[in-house]
Amino acid sequence: MLIRRERADDAAAIAAVHRSAFGSQYANADSDRETAQLADDPPEVDLVTRLRSDSGWIPTLSMVAVEHDTVIGHVCLTRAGVGPFPVLALGPIGVLAEHQGNGVGAAMMHAALGAADALDEPLIGLLGHLDYYPQFGFLPAARLGITPDEPAWVSHFQVRRLSAYDSQITGEFRYAEPFYEL
């Protein structure tokens, strides 16, 4: 497996990754959702498309995992902010369903963290599972005085300090605009 920067010709494969990774979560949604909505792509597919045209998009921090010339995973980091401080947001991260559980996601996480650290970014925030992300050094953001701008996210909002972290980075975390258009 190789992890490399996303290229323009990877867009369709990346969409397929997120369809595979997240589609079942929405197919099993509550029965009050309309049938037409169930046929739609998971929101992560549209989110990546919208992020690519947003000022928060950082091309060097959108990466794919490739196995035998096939894109099997995708992760991106985008510009976010904590008050006046520029930071990063992680997500979405997805792996083709048939490749999940084989370390692809962990490898992409390590690649993304290393790339962000090499670029002297101070901090990465994400909304994610409390049992999974701590293995990569993420901790509840509230411990560092950082809160998401959506109160409903507080319980699952986490941050990862990087080498350039400064303890003055406190306040409200704000994602790139496409995250709010879901």
Side-chain angles (χ1 to χ4, degrees):
M1 176 179 64
L2 169 71
I3 297 174
R4 63 164 169 76
R5 284 178 57 175
E6 170 186 341
R7 297 188 302 231
D9 63 345
D10 292 327
I14 290 168
V17 163
H18 292 299
R19 268 186 215 102
S20 175
F22 297 104
S24 65
Q25 291 179 20
Y26 300 99
N28 296 325
D30 294 338
S31 59
D32 64 345
R33 286 188 64 175
E34 295 178 22
T35 305
Q37 288 178 314
L38 294 176
D40 290 344
D41 280 339
E44 291 80 2
V45 174
D46 186 49
L47 175 59
V48 173
T49 301
R50 289 174 185 249
L51 285 169
R52 283 189 189 107
S53 61
D54 187 79
S55 63
W57 184 250
I58 305 170
T60 56
L61 295 176
S62 180
M63 294 175 255
V64 293
V66 180
E67 186 176 79
H68 307 294
D69 296 324
T70 301
V71 173
I72 62 170
H74 174 253
V75 62
C76 65
L77 295 161
T78 53
R79 181 60 60 210
V82 174
F85 302 99
V87 299
L88 296 174
L90 189 140
I93 179 170
V95 177
L96 288 175
E98 61 269 23
H99 290 276
Q100 292 176 4
N102 296 325
V104 176
M108 289 191 310
M109 282 294 298
H110 288 297
L113 292 171
D117 199 48
L119 293 172
D120 289 327
E121 295 291 344
L123 178 127
I124 299 171
L126 65 78
L127 188 61
H129 200 282
L130 299 173
D131 293 332
Y132 182 73
Y133 291 102
Q135 70 182 309
F136 303 105
F138 285 86
L139 54 96
R143 289 188 192 168
L144 299 180
I146 299 170
T147 57
D149 60 352
E150 293 287 335
W153 296 346
V154 169
S155 65
H156 286 76
F157 188 71
Q158 302 167 62
V159 294
R160 168 66 152 78
R161 294 173 286 200
L162 300 172
S163 297
Y165 172 73
D166 182 333
S167 62
Q168 292 181 21
I169 301 174
T170 60
E172 191 174 80
F173 184 98
R174 177 111 180 123
Y175 281 95
E177 202 56 41
F179 282 92
Y180 303 96
E181 298 168 357
L182 295 175

